Amino acid sequence: MEKSDQHWMIVKGDKVNFPGGGTHFHDGADKYIASLGKMLRYPHGDLSNHGNIRTVLDVGCGVASFGAYLLPLDILAMSIAPNDVHENQIQFALERGIPSTLGVLATRRLPFPSESFDLAHCSRCRIDWLQRDGILLLEIDRLLRPGGLFAWSSPPAYRDDAENVQIWNEMSDLVKRMCWSVAAKEGQTVIWMKALTNDCYDARPENSKPPVCDPDDDPDAAWNLPMKACISVMDKRNALAPWPRRLITMPSRLQALGVTEEQYQKDKIAWRVRVQYYFKQLNSVVEKNTFRNVMDMKAHLGGFAAALKGKPVWVMNVVPVSDPNTLTVIYDRGLIGSLHDWCQAFSTYPRTYDLLHAWTIFSDIENQECSIEDLLLEMDRLLRPMGFVIIRDKSLLVDQIVSYITALHWDAWSLVMKAEPDGLSTGDNEKILFARKRLMKPDPDDIL
C-alpha cells in the first residue's frame, strides 16, 4: 500500500481514525499548525490571528488532515489534490466531512478568483515551483490576498545537500522578484508574505521577470483559462474585517458588481428567512448529524451559506460561469467555493454531498447545451444515499422534475410547496421541491 508508513489511517474496531500524521506532520497536524502560529508570533500561537486568517488553500493536501485541524480554529481550508497514484485521498477527505475538491496545478487557472485566500500551504506536495518561469507560484500569488502568506514545508528549506541548496537559492531569487518577503523561517518550514501594495512591482528594475500582467488581464477570470507567467496587479480596496465580522460586513468588491448596500442587506434577510423555512419543513425527517457536506449550486452572494452559520456544516458555494462572477464576494465574506459550468461534471467523487441546494439553476440551463435530465443525473451522482435536495424554481420546471424523482430513487421522502414571494423572487410562480434519495439495497433473492 502506498505510503503505508505514514499512519494516515488507524483501524480501531469498526472505525477508522485519522490522527493527523502524514508526510510532514510527524507529531500530528494540530502541533504543526500551532508551530506555524508561533513562527508568525501570533497571540497564543493561534494561526487564525484573531480571525484575520480565515480562508486557506492547501495544495497537495493528502487526506486533508491540515484542513481538518484548522476547523476548530474557525479557519476554512479549500483542500485540493489530484487524482494521482494515491487515487482516493480526496474521497477520504470528503468522507471525513472536510472541505476538499479534486484539483491540480498544471496549465489552467484554478477555478477561484484573485485575492481569495489569506494563506496558501504546501507540505512536501512534490510541486516544482520553479518550472516554466515560476508559473505555478505565480498562480498562488494570484490567489493570495495582499499581505497573504505562503507556508512551504519542504526539504529545500532545510537540507544542505547541493541539489536542495540550489532549489532554495532559486526559490529565494524567484520570490524576491515577485516582491515576497520572508515572514518566518524555522526548521523545515519557511513562510513568505506577499506584498501589501503594487508599489514594489513599480520599483523593480525595468524588464524585470516575472513581468506584471497586461492591464487587460482579468485576474478574477478563472474558468478554463490558461495560467499566465506574470504578476497580477492587486485591487486597491479596504482591508477585510476579521472573522466572523467578515461574514456580514459589506465587501468592497460588491461595488464592481453593481450591488448596493440596500440590495446586499435585502439578500441577507431573504436567505435567513428562506433557510429557516427550509429547515422547518425538513425537521420531521432529518436525524441528528444528517448534514455535513452541503453544496449551493447557484450561490450568488453566499447568502444561503451565511444563513447556515452556527450549524455543523460547510458549504461549497458554486457560481455558474454563465452568471456574474460573484465568487469574489463569497470569498471576501470568509466562505469558499468554485466556478463551474453545470453542463459539465463537477470535480469530485460520486456520493460526495449530503445536501444539494439548487435555486433557479434549472431555469438557467434551459437555453444551454444540456438538459434537465443531464443536470438531474449529475446531482444524483453527487448526492449520497439518504441525502437531500432542495430545488426552488419555476412551477412548471419543478413539476417536470417531480416526474423524475421515482426513476432517480429520490422518493425516500419528498414534499412540494408553493414558494412565498420575497425580495429574491424571479417574478414567476415558484415552487420548492424537497426530496430524499433512497439507500438502494440489493434484493436478497438476487444475490448469488
Side-chain angles (χ1 to χ4, degrees), residues 235-238 249-264 301 325-326 328-329 332:
D235 282 342
K236 295 180 180 179
R237 54 191 176 91
N238 298 330
T249 303
M250 181 172 174
S252 58
R253 285 202 272 192
L254 271 176
Q255 298 173 358
L257 297 169
V259 179
T260 66
E261 184 168 2
E262 181 182 0
Q263 291 170 322
Y264 178 63
L301 303 180
N325 188 359
T326 54
T328 55
V329 171
D332 284 356

XYZ file of all heavy atoms in Angstrom, residues 235-238 249-264 301 325-326 328-329 332:
207
model
N -5.998 44.798 -6.427
C -7.029 45.819 -6.311
C -6.693 46.760 -5.159
O -6.152 46.344 -4.138
C -8.401 45.192 -6.029
C -9.031 44.607 -7.277
O -8.587 44.971 -8.378
O -9.941 43.773 -7.151
N -7.041 48.023 -5.346
C -6.923 48.994 -4.242
C -8.278 49.043 -3.545
O -9.222 49.642 -4.040
C -6.521 50.370 -4.773
C -5.136 50.401 -5.399
C -4.789 51.789 -5.908
C -3.389 51.811 -6.537
N -3.035 53.151 -7.072
N -8.361 48.368 -2.406
C -9.627 48.314 -1.695
C -9.371 48.168 -0.204
O -8.234 47.962 0.231
C -10.481 47.145 -2.193
C -9.794 45.793 -2.149
C -10.596 44.752 -2.908
N -9.923 43.472 -2.976
C -10.064 42.485 -2.090
N -10.847 42.666 -1.042
N -9.422 41.345 -2.239
N -10.436 48.289 0.554
C -10.307 48.235 2.007
C -9.920 46.839 2.482
O -10.291 45.828 1.870
C -11.629 48.653 2.664
C -12.015 50.077 2.321
O -11.152 50.922 2.089
N -13.310 50.349 2.290
N -20.047 41.916 6.996
C -19.588 43.220 6.523
C -19.694 43.289 5.003
O -19.311 42.347 4.306
C -18.127 43.458 6.951
O -18.028 43.341 8.370
C -17.663 44.844 6.522
N -20.191 44.378 4.478
C -20.356 44.503 3.029
C -18.991 44.546 2.338
O -18.203 45.457 2.559
C -21.139 45.769 2.694
C -21.369 45.938 1.195
S -22.485 47.292 0.811
C -22.367 47.317 -0.989
N -18.687 43.561 1.495
C -17.385 43.547 0.811
C -17.282 44.673 -0.209
O -18.252 44.995 -0.899
C -17.367 42.181 0.109
C -18.462 41.387 0.749
C -19.484 42.376 1.183
N -16.094 45.254 -0.326
C -15.911 46.365 -1.264
C -16.032 45.905 -2.716
O -16.374 46.686 -3.596
C -14.549 47.028 -1.027
O -13.491 46.094 -1.177
N -15.781 44.620 -2.977
C -15.864 44.137 -4.359
C -17.323 44.031 -4.850
O -17.553 43.761 -6.026
C -15.137 42.799 -4.515
C -13.626 42.958 -4.513
C -12.902 41.796 -5.185
N -12.605 40.718 -4.263
C -11.774 39.698 -4.551
N -11.184 39.632 -5.736
N -11.553 38.744 -3.677
N -18.286 44.245 -3.954
C -19.679 44.292 -4.387
C -19.921 45.449 -5.351
O -20.768 45.369 -6.237
C -20.612 44.442 -3.180
C -21.104 43.161 -2.504
C -21.922 43.517 -1.278
C -21.922 42.316 -3.458
N -19.194 46.533 -5.145
C -19.405 47.725 -5.979
C -19.139 47.422 -7.442
O -19.851 47.914 -8.328
C -18.507 48.860 -5.485
C -18.817 49.298 -4.054
C -17.820 50.308 -3.528
O -16.863 50.673 -4.215
N -18.031 50.774 -2.300
N -18.127 46.601 -7.716
C -17.811 46.250 -9.104
C -18.928 45.441 -9.750
O -19.051 45.414 -10.979
C -16.496 45.468 -9.157
N -19.750 44.790 -8.925
C -20.867 44.007 -9.435
C -22.144 44.831 -9.537
O -23.181 44.323 -9.974
C -21.119 42.801 -8.526
C -19.981 41.788 -8.429
C -20.237 40.805 -7.302
C -19.816 41.044 -9.752
N -22.068 46.086 -9.107
C -23.237 46.954 -9.162
C -24.275 46.644 -8.101
O -25.455 46.960 -8.266
N -23.854 45.992 -6.999
C -24.773 45.658 -5.917
C -24.680 46.718 -4.832
O -23.590 47.014 -4.328
C -24.438 44.272 -5.320
C -25.378 43.938 -4.161
C -24.522 43.194 -6.396
N -25.815 47.304 -4.472
C -25.838 48.341 -3.448
C -25.907 47.716 -2.061
O -26.240 46.528 -1.900
C -27.045 49.263 -3.634
O -28.247 48.505 -3.405
C -27.079 49.854 -5.043
N -25.623 48.518 -1.052
C -25.717 48.019 0.319
C -27.146 47.614 0.651
O -27.370 46.626 1.357
C -25.229 49.076 1.306
C -25.216 48.563 2.742
C -24.477 49.484 3.698
O -24.012 50.551 3.254
O -24.364 49.115 4.876
N -28.122 48.359 0.124
C -29.521 48.013 0.367
C -29.848 46.635 -0.219
O -30.506 45.798 0.422
C -30.439 49.062 -0.255
C -31.923 48.787 -0.029
C -32.808 49.829 -0.695
O -32.268 50.768 -1.332
O -34.044 49.706 -0.578
N -29.367 46.351 -1.427
C -29.597 45.043 -2.050
C -28.886 43.932 -1.272
O -29.413 42.821 -1.124
C -29.109 45.065 -3.498
C -29.940 45.944 -4.418
C -29.284 46.132 -5.780
O -28.056 46.257 -5.881
N -30.091 46.149 -6.837
N -27.697 44.242 -0.783
C -26.928 43.270 -0.015
C -27.661 42.906 1.273
O -27.782 41.717 1.617
C -25.542 43.853 0.288
C -24.649 42.980 1.123
C -24.230 41.739 0.669
C -24.198 43.415 2.372
C -23.383 40.940 1.435
C -23.356 42.629 3.146
C -22.955 41.399 2.677
O -22.125 40.614 3.442
N -24.517 35.574 -3.786
C -23.656 36.327 -2.863
C -23.274 35.506 -1.630
O -22.686 36.044 -0.691
C -24.346 37.621 -2.421
C -24.785 38.574 -3.533
C -25.463 39.808 -2.941
C -23.597 39.001 -4.399
N -19.580 36.954 -11.925
C -18.605 36.294 -11.057
C -18.692 36.843 -9.631
O -17.864 37.639 -9.200
C -17.194 36.457 -11.608
C -16.187 35.615 -10.840
O -16.526 34.915 -9.891
N -14.933 35.678 -11.256
N -19.706 36.386 -8.902
C -19.889 36.804 -7.513
C -19.020 36.015 -6.547
O -19.081 36.239 -5.338
C -21.363 36.649 -7.106
O -21.771 35.295 -7.372
C -22.256 37.607 -7.877
N -16.025 36.337 -6.037
C -15.141 37.292 -5.363
C -15.743 37.713 -4.023
O -15.054 37.773 -3.003
C -14.940 38.539 -6.244
O -16.224 39.090 -6.588
C -14.199 38.197 -7.510
N -17.036 37.993 -4.025
C -17.727 38.438 -2.811
C -17.835 37.297 -1.803
O -17.683 37.497 -0.592
C -19.130 38.972 -3.171
C -19.958 39.244 -1.927
C -19.011 40.224 -4.018
N -14.645 37.012 -0.071
C -14.466 38.172 0.807
C -15.317 38.066 2.067
O -15.028 38.724 3.071
C -14.806 39.462 0.057
C -13.715 39.885 -0.921
O -12.668 39.208 -0.960
O -13.908 40.881 -1.647
